[in-house]
Amino acid sequence: MADPEEARERIAGYLHRRVLAISKACPGEPTLMLSGGIDSMLLAAAWQRFAEPPLCVTIGVTDTPSDDRERAAAAAAHLGLNHVAVELEPGDIQQLAASAVGVLGIDELWEIGAAVPIMAARHAANNACRIGPIISGGGADVLFAGGMRLVSPIVSRAAAEELRSRIWASMLNTFRRDRLVPDFFDRVLGSDTHRYFQMFQTLEAWTLTSDFAPSLLFAHASDGSLIDKLCLRDLAVEWGADPALVWAPKNPMQFSSGMVTAFECQARRLIEEDPTQSTYSKPQSESAETLMARLWLKHLRNIHDDGQ
């Protein structure tokens, strides 16, 4: 299927049904995790259009400036939605990350990086006395090939086959409970698990988009750069989102929220606590490669000390 109008109609119909179903399953004032990217921007417009307007919550880190967070605030303002920016201090990051490590029982970067913003968004919703659904754009990157770069020319049979193959592989790896932590959301959200909804991570969404041609998802801008999620961006503009914000690029959640950089800053602080580490260079300003080497050597020293 390569008709842009039909693609927008399919997505619009799906979002309408999904918003109404979530509103019925979890009554109450909704909270939307608004990252500043097209997925959450479209959802903000959809909830405003079909149900009670959401409280938009953007998670950030105080010592990690981000244009994405400024875009999120601007997107909410353009749609006339209430917006809360949660700026996590280093102490907040340490507390939330430690809690995530504790409940998940692992220290894998991407799992903890995903857990911390979700936990922070839940706290923000509860602090605002919001008892309704907590919504994210989860699943959109998979179904709409967010960030993907096709090897084949966009308008070709080979591109269509490549797109379907890569989306299917990503779905098998993502749309499943049998993951590194099978009960990830139960552990992270506890009694609030029933309130958390990933809008696009459903069988219906995949069924509706499974025959999308690459030309519905990708296009080249005037400067030659590749635009992804084309049909989502077109629909967001149609529903009133600011075009200037809709067409802006965004980093994945763990980077846009500042989680990865925040974890890196904590690692630098940890290393700097040892006075011997600052003899020849400063852990706070040296390269990431040097920092990793220091952490590995510190690991060896801990092994040695534990063995004595």
Side-chain angles (χ1 to χ4, degrees):
M1 199 271 289
D3 182 355
E5 184 176 351
E6 182 182 350
R8 290 195 298 274
E9 288 177 355
R10 284 193 194 181
I11 299 167
Y14 168 76
L15 289 175
H16 187 191
R17 293 188 296 275
R18 182 80 165 133
V19 167
L20 294 181
I22 292 174
S23 298
K24 182 178 180 180
C26 186
E29 297 175 309
T31 299
L32 172 68
M33 295 178 66
L34 184 65
S35 64
I38 182 55
D39 307 336
S40 58
M41 207 179 302
L42 176 59
L43 295 187
W47 278 88
Q48 183 186 51
R49 193 179 188 87
F50 300 127
E52 183 174 355
L55 170 67
C56 298
V57 174
T58 303
I59 308 301
V61 179
T62 54
D63 54 3
T64 309
S66 171
D67 292 339
D68 293 331
R69 300 202 291 277
E70 294 179 4
R71 260 199 308 274
H78 186 84
L79 290 168
L81 299 173
N82 291 329
H83 179 259
V84 173
V86 178
E87 295 290 335
L88 301 175
E89 301 283 349
D92 300 323
I93 293 291
Q94 182 168 337
Q95 182 179 5
L96 287 168
S99 178
V101 169
V103 297
L104 294 175
I106 59 170
D107 56 5
E108 200 280 326
L109 172 63
W110 300 112
E111 297 280 5
I112 304 303
V116 168
I118 293 173
M119 296 167 74
R122 178 189 59 177
H123 292 162
N126 292 342
N127 287 340
C129 298
R130 293 255 165 172
I131 61 172
I134 300 170
I135 312 139
S136 86
D141 272 343
V142 174
L143 295 182
F144 298 97
M148 186 183 294
R149 296 292 183 268
L150 297 178
V151 175
S152 308
I154 293 174
V155 184
S156 68
R157 182 184 297 272
E161 294 174 352
E162 179 187 351
L163 179 66
R164 296 276 68 79
S165 174
R166 293 177 64 180
I167 287 179
W168 181 250
S170 186
M171 280 182 58
L172 291 177
N173 189 50
T174 307
F175 287 19
R176 56 191 296 176
R177 184 174 175 85
D178 182 18
R179 52 187 284 172
L180 185 60
V181 183
D183 53 348
F184 174 89
F185 295 105
D186 297 317
R187 295 192 183 199
V188 169
L189 292 166
S191 61
D192 286 327
T193 304
H194 70 286
R195 296 173 56 196
Y196 185 72
F197 294 89
Q198 300 182 92
M199 286 290 289
F200 290 100
Q201 194 161 326
T202 67
L203 178 60
E204 182 186 359
W206 172 74
T207 302
L208 291 172
T209 61
S210 61
D211 63 346
F212 276 18
S215 60
L216 294 174
L217 305 180
F218 301 104
H220 288 288
S222 57
D223 62 0
S225 61
L226 188 66
I227 300 171
D228 65 355
K229 301 181 182 177
L230 185 63
C231 54
L232 296 188
R233 298 178 193 274
D234 284 338
L235 182 58
V237 172
E238 182 179 316
W239 281 357
D242 185 346
L245 301 172
V246 164
W247 297 105
K250 191 191 80 68
N251 291 316
M253 179 178 67
Q254 290 92 334
F255 284 97
S256 64
S257 63
M259 290 302 109
V260 172
T261 303
F263 295 166
E264 177 190 339
C265 289
Q266 295 289 55
R268 293 183 186 277
R269 291 187 181 99
L270 178 64
I271 288 294
E272 203 166 47
E273 288 176 0
D274 183 344
T276 66
Q277 297 290 337
S278 299
T279 301
Y280 301 106
S281 62
K282 301 297 181 184
Q284 284 287 9
S285 58
E286 62 194 9
S287 69
E289 291 85 352
T290 305
L291 179 69
M292 287 188 289
R294 287 185 186 275
L295 289 171
W296 183 72
L297 291 172
K298 189 175 185 67
H299 169 67
L300 291 183
R301 177 178 146 189
N302 289 338
I303 292 176
H304 176 268
D305 291 347
D306 290 341
Q308 289 185 335

